[in-house]
Amino acid sequence: MTFLDVLKLRTVGEGSLSKDGRMFAYTTGTLDWKSGKRFTDIWVTATDGSASRQLTFTPTQNEADPQF
């Protein structure tokens, strides 16, 4: 694994657990090579691991602070 491989990895950021404990919302960051910046989107997943989906699709903006 090289340094560039590490840069290509998604990073996981802040998260929030739903009140009933069944869902977890979190941010993931991906690197935009052209701008040299990392941008984040919000994902949500079931805490039992059965389902995961991306909620935001903003390739040049940051989505942050997921809350239920």
Side-chain angles (χ1 to χ4, degrees):
M1 181 173 263
T2 68
F3 178 70
L4 290 177
D5 292 331
V6 173
L7 289 177
K8 292 177 188 176
L9 293 173
R10 285 188 177 176
T11 58
V12 177
E14 55 196 295
S16 174
L17 186 63
S18 65
K19 289 183 181 186
D20 64 5
R22 296 177 59 200
M23 302 297 282
F24 185 72
Y26 58 97
T27 60
T28 62
T30 54
L31 183 64
D32 178 13
W33 288 99
K34 289 182 182 179
S35 69
K37 296 179 181 178
R38 189 170 290 275
F39 295 106
T40 57
D41 282 304
I42 297 174
W43 286 69
V44 67
T45 188
T47 54
D48 66 3
S50 64
S52 185
R53 63 187 157 151
Q54 187 174 349
L55 294 181
T56 63
F57 297 87
T58 52
T60 59
Q61 294 179 339
N62 286 312
E63 305 294 340
D65 198 25
Q67 298 291 316
F68 281 95

